[in-house]
Amino acid sequence: MTDKSWMLNPKAIRCAKECISIIQEERGLRLKLSQPDFLQIIHEILDQTQSRALGDCYAKLISMAGVGFVMQNLKAKNEDNKDVVPMKKAAGAETMTLQAPHATVEHYGKVYPKYRAGLAFKGVYRGQPMYS
């Protein structure tokens, strides 16, 4: 399970929201803090766009979240095993998909990672995926 203790810091939340707004302006993607792999998604988008503003904001966010922890939890790119994970798009934006390097499960029209932190997907409870 990922550590989200950085979300208790108001400055980190401001940086995260700034990253969200930059991504929405540049890519037209709606990203939410409640997404399970929030930092991983921002990292992948940053790799794709090479945006200076997003890079600066992401660096501030990582410094507040703990660099060692974040780097440990980032998933390596694996070209052989990529599944497509659709994301919501902002009004008038092109369709955008992120590449996920792990297996996924579709549950009532939504896609969730099949495994997280060594645990298997068991279902959704109050909108959050449950793993055991």
Side-chain angles (χ1 to χ4, degrees), residues 92-120:
E94 297 179 14
T95 303
M96 175 66 192
T97 57
L98 283 180
Q99 302 294 328
H102 48 79
T104 59
V105 175
E106 185 173 340
H107 184 73
Y108 290 103
K110 291 190 176 184
V111 179
Y112 300 98
K114 187 171 183 177
Y115 301 102
R116 182 181 298 154
L119 303 174

Side-chain angles (χ1 to χ4, degrees), residues 55-126:
D56 293 342
C57 186
Y58 180 66
K60 286 183 204 173
L61 180 60
I62 293 301
S63 69
M64 292 179 203
V67 177
F69 170 77
V70 173
M71 292 303 178
Q72 177 184 7
N73 288 331
L74 288 178
K75 299 173 184 87
K77 286 187 178 181
N78 185 358
E79 299 298 327
D80 300 332
N81 185 20
K82 284 190 174 181
D83 297 325
V84 176
V85 179
M87 292 184 64
K88 290 183 180 179
K89 63 177 185 171
E94 297 179 14
T95 303
M96 175 66 192
T97 57
L98 283 180
Q99 302 294 328
H102 48 79
T104 59
V105 175
E106 185 173 340
H107 184 73
Y108 290 103
K110 291 190 176 184
V111 179
Y112 300 98
K114 187 171 183 177
Y115 301 102
R116 182 181 298 154
L119 303 174
F121 178 83
K122 293 297 178 187
V124 177
Y125 179 70
R126 293 188 178 181

